Amino acid sequence: QVQVVESGGDLVRPGGSLRLNCSVSGFHLTIYAIGWFRQRPGKERRGVTCMTNNNEGAFYAESVKGRFTLSGGMGGNTAYLEMNNLQPDDTGVYYCGISGEPVNGPACLRSRWYSYWGQGTQVTVSS
C-alpha cells in the first residue's frame, strides 16, 4: 500500500524559514515525478515545485523562485522542500504528490499528473 506522509509545517513569522518533508513508502513502480502543491480554503491545488526522473532539475512557480528549494525524492524515500524568506502569501496546506506516469518539464507543476497524495501539512506565515 502506497503511503505519502508530509511533515514540517508550522506557524512562522514573515521572513522565516521551514523545511517540509515528504516520506514515500510502499511504491514499487517507477516514480516519474514528485511535486509540492499548496492549497488555500476554497481554492484549487496549485503547483509550487516539482521534479521529474528525466534529470531536468527542479521546476518552480514564479512566486517561489529563489526562495524555495526542492531536493531528494527521485530514487529515494524522502523529498524535502526548503522554504526561505516566507511571506503571508505562502500560507496554505502543502501537499506532496507522486506521479506514476511519465511527465516532462514544467508540466509536472500540474496536479493532474499525480495519483498519490499525502494528507497535507499546514504552513502559516503571520506576524
Side-chain angles (χ1 to χ4, degrees), residues 8-99:
D10 206 343
L11 168 65
V12 296
R13 295 182 183 276
S17 298
L18 282 175
R19 188 178 84 161
L20 304 185
N21 305 314
C22 172
S23 176
V24 181
S25 61
F27 193 85
H28 303 297
L29 304 176
T30 300
I31 295 177
Y32 286 96
I34 289 179
W36 282 96
F37 295 77
R38 179 179 62 226
Q39 189 166 24
R40 300 187 179 113
K43 303 293 186 180
E44 66 179 10
R45 199 169 291 187
R46 305 286 299 266
V48 174
T49 180
C50 63
M51 65 169 62
T52 72
N53 69 341
N54 295 326
N55 294 316
E56 300 168 297
F59 300 93
Y60 298 91
E62 284 296 324
S63 62
V64 306
K65 282 183 179 178
R67 300 189 297 123
F68 288 15
T69 303
L70 175 63
S71 63
M74 309 311 299
N77 296 326
T78 306
Y80 305 96
L81 178 60
E82 291 280 351
M83 304 190 296
N84 297 310
N85 191 22
L86 283 159
Q87 301 300 316
D89 280 350
D90 296 320
T91 294
V93 178
Y94 282 71
Y95 294 92
C96 178
I98 304 297
S99 175

